[in-house]
Amino acid sequence: MDTWVDGQPADALSLKDRGLAYGDGLFETIAVRNGSPVLLDRHLERLARGCQRLAINLDHEAVVRELVTCAGDLQEGVLKLIVTRGDSLRGYAFDPSVQARRILSGNPPATYPNTHREQGVRLFPCATRLSIQPLLAGLKHLNRLEQVLARAEWQDGEHAEGLMLDQEGRVIEGVFSNLFLVRDGVLITADLKRCGVEGVMRAELLFQAESLGIPTDITDITLEQLQQADEVFVCNSVYGVWPVHAYAALSWPVGPLTRKLQTIACALLDA
Amino acid sequence: MDTWVDGQPADALSLKDRGLAYGDGLFETIAVRNGSPVLLDRHLERLARGCQRLAINLDHEAVVRELVTCAGDLQEGVLKLIVTRGDSLRGYAFDPSVQARRILSGNPPATYPNTHREQGVRLFPCATRLSIQPLLAGLKHLNRLEQVLARAEWQDGEHAEGLMLDQEGRVIEGVFSNLFLVRDGVLITADLKRCGVEGVMRAELLFQAESLGIPTDITDITLEQLQQADEVFVCNSVYGVWPVHAYAALSWPVGPLTRKLQTIACALLDA
């Protein structure tokens, strides 16, 4: 794994970093294909939104430069960018003029069984629920203990992902994916105004569906609506689209809209 | 600032650390007086509870040894211990056998104006609300973005602390303190089963009050109950007790039970 801090090769971080102290920062996990970061503009857009919301002072031009350079070096794989607010004063207060720190690591391509994309996956019913916090909803921030707890709920190979509800029982997302339903030809995904991560692949698939004239709906989803879905799939910016064939006692066929959007994701991600 | 990682002098951290990646860890901020960590058993007890809840594999004996040694070196000041789950595999999953990392830093004594303890403080009414997450409630974990956002709401010197409500409007705690009310001779503090940090000084003051025969009540607190309180104060393990004389349009006198508990905290903390 090659790693850089603020554009320089480095393998260690200041112990005063606020990412460590408070999870005070954001991250992006970016697929690299043929030496280029995939969906770079969408990643940068979400990162900028996060920096604005958290008042993190990031050199966005340096980020683009470093991502493009490192993707060129990596050729195929996954770049992980962590942006932290930089070093800490004592306590939660921060100096708004401090420059954010950029931590970049290059990783080999993710490997998942082909069956995940071909036959689909079973979702584990996570007992860990997402807390409701509109101030952080949508952001890919570094406070991820809920995901750590949820992912620790299953160890078997039978479940490729887990499904997370919010504290009030709405269907939100996977532990490391967004969730889509198809019902009567409409592509439906959860409204993430209370919790959840606005995934880059989610945004891209919504955009692609709209371009194809497929109606979309970003809304609150109940377990009953999940049950009644014609198709279900999960997505993220690294693996693309996995059909969901089962969740607890529910099951669904792998449907045509899932396959259509999977083909689009594959075209972006497959080397 | 002197810093140690796993008992060795160090000033840098692995970029793979899960504390950085996910806030996957816990911390303790411990006053040091005459070369000894103050309320050490209570800090260790909360840390152990956190490790158990998060399934973090910590060498507790090494923690005690390092805290005692570093406190002896520091003599007077504040030790900050961060415990992380160690380095990451790719993704949220973790190897439960991995040993946690211990990051310790020695800092000079905290300095606050004497007026805070003598005349009391005004609390800022934070708009940032605490999200409800029973799985993490009470723990001093590293997911602290809510506190970062809340603390950024005021810059003036007029407010020494801020008051945080939960998403449903209950009165919970300060940004870096716990809150107590006194009403008709009863010492009242918020039930932290949904959110909040179970402070070490909070636990000590509850214990001391009970030893003195003062009735205590750990319960849900409304803004109306805050308004009707006879006395209000905040506390933590570094500064002890600050009377609260004002919050928004509300004000309170500095009362006798506040002074009695403040004296107890001072005896523990003052060099």
Side-chain angles (χ1 to χ4, degrees):
Chain A
M1 188 171 83
D2 289 319
T3 50
W4 300 263
V5 174
D6 292 340
Q8 302 300 316
D11 57 7
L13 181 73
S14 160
L15 291 179
K16 295 182 199 166
D17 190 274
R18 290 178 63 101
L20 171 68
Y22 308 128
D24 192 6
L26 300 157
F27 70 112
E28 295 289 333
T29 308
I30 307 171
V32 175
R33 182 192 173 188
N34 295 328
S36 292
V38 176
L39 297 173
L40 178 59
D41 288 349
R42 292 197 183 278
H43 282 289
L44 294 172
E45 192 189 327
R46 178 176 59 185
L47 182 63
R49 214 159 54 230
C51 286
Q52 190 170 31
R53 195 106 71 87
L54 300 183
I56 287 178
N57 204 359
L58 179 66
D59 182 344
H60 292 275
E61 285 175 27
V63 166
V64 177
R65 202 166 53 234
E66 289 159 18
L67 285 173
V68 168
T69 304
C70 293
D73 291 350
L74 190 64
Q75 281 297 311
E76 306 295 333
V78 178
L79 281 178
K80 180 167 178 178
L81 170 67
I82 295 178
V83 165
T84 75
R85 198 188 298 278
D87 282 351
S88 194
L89 306 174
R90 186 131 112 183
Y92 295 117
F94 58 86
D95 175 349
S97 71
V98 167
Q99 278 286 323
R101 182 168 280 137
R102 309 177 301 277
I103 303 161
L104 194 53
S105 59
N107 301 276
T111 52
Y112 295 106
N114 282 334
T115 51
H116 287 8
R117 64 161 61 177
E118 287 163 10
Q119 285 131 58
V121 299
R122 171 181 283 277
L123 300 184
F124 185 85
C126 294
T128 304
R129 292 193 169 195
L130 293 163
S131 61
I132 290 173
Q133 179 49 276
L135 297 176
L136 298 173
L139 305 187
K140 203 165 168 81
H141 56 69
L142 296 176
N143 280 198
R144 291 290 154 211
L145 274 171
E146 290 176 344
Q147 282 71 27
V148 171
L149 292 178
R151 183 60 191 84
E153 290 187 45
W154 81 94
Q155 274 76 40
D156 62 71
E158 211 189 320
H159 298 90
E161 236 296 26
L163 180 67
M164 298 188 77
L165 313 181
D166 72 13
Q167 290 292 344
E168 294 166 353
R170 297 178 200 90
V171 173
I172 305 294
E173 62 187 9
V175 177
F176 55 92
S177 312
N178 287 116
L179 182 91
F180 280 91
L181 320 182
V182 181
R183 171 73 174 175
D184 297 332
V186 181
L187 182 67
I188 302 164
T189 193
D191 189 340
L192 303 180
K193 68 185 171 211
R194 300 181 197 88
C195 57
V197 176
E198 285 171 359
V200 157
M201 187 56 81
R202 171 180 177 272
E204 177 68 14
L205 295 180
L206 285 168
F207 169 80
Q208 294 281 353
E210 281 157 22
S211 308
L212 292 168
I214 297 161
T216 62
D217 192 11
I218 299 173
T219 186
D220 292 339
I221 299 174
T222 63
L223 274 172
E224 194 177 19
Q225 285 169 302
L226 178 66
Q227 180 170 7
Q228 291 161 355
D230 303 319
E231 307 177 27
V232 180
F233 66 89
V234 288
C235 68
N236 81 16
S237 60
V238 170
Y239 68 67
V241 168
W242 291 339
V244 173
H245 67 70
Y247 165 77
L250 307 179
S251 65
W252 302 272
V254 180
L257 185 49
T258 299
R259 288 298 187 207
K260 185 177 284 186
L261 294 171
Q262 186 176 45
T263 304
I264 290 171
C266 282
L268 290 165
L269 292 171
D270 288 358
Chain B
M1 190 171 82
D2 290 320
T3 51
W4 300 264
V5 174
D6 292 341
Q8 301 300 316
D11 57 7
L13 181 75
S14 159
L15 292 178
K16 296 180 197 166
D17 190 274
R18 291 176 64 100
L20 171 68
Y22 307 128
D24 192 4
L26 299 157
F27 70 114
E28 294 289 334
T29 307
I30 306 171
V32 175
R33 182 191 173 189
N34 296 328
S36 291
V38 176
L39 297 174
L40 178 60
D41 287 350
R42 291 197 185 279
H43 283 289
L44 293 172
E45 193 188 326
R46 178 175 60 185
L47 182 63
R49 214 159 54 231
C51 287
Q52 190 171 32
R53 197 107 70 87
L54 300 182
I56 287 179
N57 204 358
L58 179 65
D59 182 342
H60 292 274
E61 284 175 28
V63 165
V64 177
R65 204 166 51 234
E66 289 159 18
L67 285 174
V68 168
T69 305
C70 294
D73 291 352
L74 190 62
Q75 281 297 312
E76 306 294 333
V78 178
L79 281 178
K80 181 167 177 179
L81 170 69
I82 296 178
V83 165
T84 76
R85 199 187 298 277
D87 282 352
S88 197
L89 305 174
R90 187 132 112 182
Y92 295 117
F94 59 87
D95 175 348
S97 72
V98 168
Q99 278 286 322
R101 184 168 279 138
R102 308 176 303 276
I103 302 160
L104 194 53
S105 59
N107 300 276
T111 53
Y112 295 105
N114 282 334
T115 51
H116 287 9
R117 64 159 65 175
E118 288 164 9
Q119 284 131 58
V121 299
R122 171 180 283 279
L123 300 183
F124 185 86
C126 294
T128 305
R129 292 194 169 194
L130 293 162
S131 61
I132 290 172
Q133 179 48 276
L135 297 176
L136 298 173
L139 304 188
K140 204 166 168 80
H141 57 68
L142 296 175
N143 279 199
R144 291 290 153 212
L145 274 171
E146 291 177 343
Q147 282 71 27
V148 171
L149 292 178
R151 184 59 191 84
E153 290 188 45
W154 81 94
Q155 274 76 40
D156 62 73
E158 211 188 320
H159 298 88
E161 238 294 26
L163 180 67
M164 299 190 74
L165 312 182
D166 72 12
Q167 291 291 344
E168 294 166 354
R170 295 178 201 91
V171 173
I172 304 296
E173 62 187 9
V175 177
F176 55 92
S177 312
N178 287 116
L179 181 90
F180 280 91
L181 319 183
V182 180
R183 172 72 174 174
D184 297 333
V186 181
L187 183 67
I188 303 164
T189 192
D191 189 341
L192 303 179
K193 68 185 171 211
R194 302 181 195 89
C195 56
V197 176
E198 285 172 359
V200 157
M201 187 58 79
R202 172 181 177 272
E204 177 67 14
L205 295 180
L206 284 169
F207 169 79
Q208 294 282 352
E210 281 157 23
S211 306
L212 293 168
I214 297 162
T216 62
D217 193 10
I218 300 173
T219 186
D220 292 340
I221 299 174
T222 63
L223 274 173
E224 195 177 16
Q225 286 169 300
L226 178 66
Q227 181 170 4
Q228 290 161 355
D230 303 317
E231 308 177 27
V232 180
F233 66 89
V234 287
C235 68
N236 81 15
S237 61
V238 170
Y239 68 68
V241 168
W242 290 338
V244 174
H245 68 70
Y247 166 75
L250 307 179
S251 65
W252 302 273
V254 179
L257 185 50
T258 300
R259 288 299 187 204
K260 184 177 283 187
L261 295 171
Q262 187 176 44
T263 303
I264 291 171
C266 281
L268 290 165
L269 292 171
D270 287 359

